[in-house]
Amino acid sequence: MDAGRVAQLAAQAVLEKKGIDPVILDLQGITLIADYFVIASGTSTVQVQAIAGRVEEILDEAGVELLHREGLEAARWVLLDYGAVVVHIFLEEERRFYDLERLWGDARRIAIESP
């Protein structure tokens, strides 16, 4: 499955769990870290964990292998690494503090497709 489709599925999973302001950043040509970042936030650690769980579930069903997961227990910033796509799920205040959208301000934002 192509990385753009993986990013779309992850963003749609975020929306299913009422994640706040999901964004897909196209990092191709900017960095070798990943082709896409999916960034979203939740209002509580429970919601952040639920969003991360749904992303994992949807991508697992699509046959996309999770390479690495960090931060699930504390659930202030959960990182899900799928290789070409990295999903960042923050508590709202953590997202404002780290401000990845500003840090990667050269990246093009991709519209999230309806499922």
Side-chain angles (χ1 to χ4, degrees):
M1 177 176 305
D2 105 312
R5 183 70 188 132
V6 172
Q8 287 291 336
L9 287 174
Q12 291 165 6
V14 167
L15 289 171
E16 283 184 29
K17 289 297 182 180
K18 309 291 189 235
I20 298 167
D21 193 24
V23 173
I24 300 173
L25 298 180
D26 182 349
L27 302 172
Q28 297 175 90
I30 297 173
T31 183
L32 298 176
I33 293 172
D35 290 343
Y36 297 93
F37 276 178
V38 177
I39 304 169
S41 47
T43 58
S44 68
T45 57
V46 171
Q47 186 185 23
V48 168
Q49 289 171 333
I51 294 167
R54 186 62 180 151
V55 170
E56 286 189 44
E57 182 180 10
I58 291 288
L59 293 181
D60 184 58
E61 289 171 2
V64 182
E65 181 184 359
L66 176 64
L67 303 176
H68 186 75
R69 175 194 315 112
E70 285 188 35
L72 190 61
E73 280 190 39
R76 299 188 64 76
W77 176 0
V78 176
L79 182 142
L80 304 173
D81 182 356
Y82 289 94
V85 177
V86 178
V87 180
H88 301 270
I89 307 160
F90 292 94
L91 279 177
E92 290 178 291
E93 59 270 17
E94 301 292 323
R95 184 176 181 177
R96 282 191 301 273
F97 179 80
Y98 289 103
D99 201 3
L100 294 185
E101 290 98 330
R102 183 191 55 76
L103 183 64
W104 295 99
D106 292 345
R108 185 171 60 99
R109 289 183 182 226
I110 305 295
I112 298 171
E113 300 167 0
S114 298

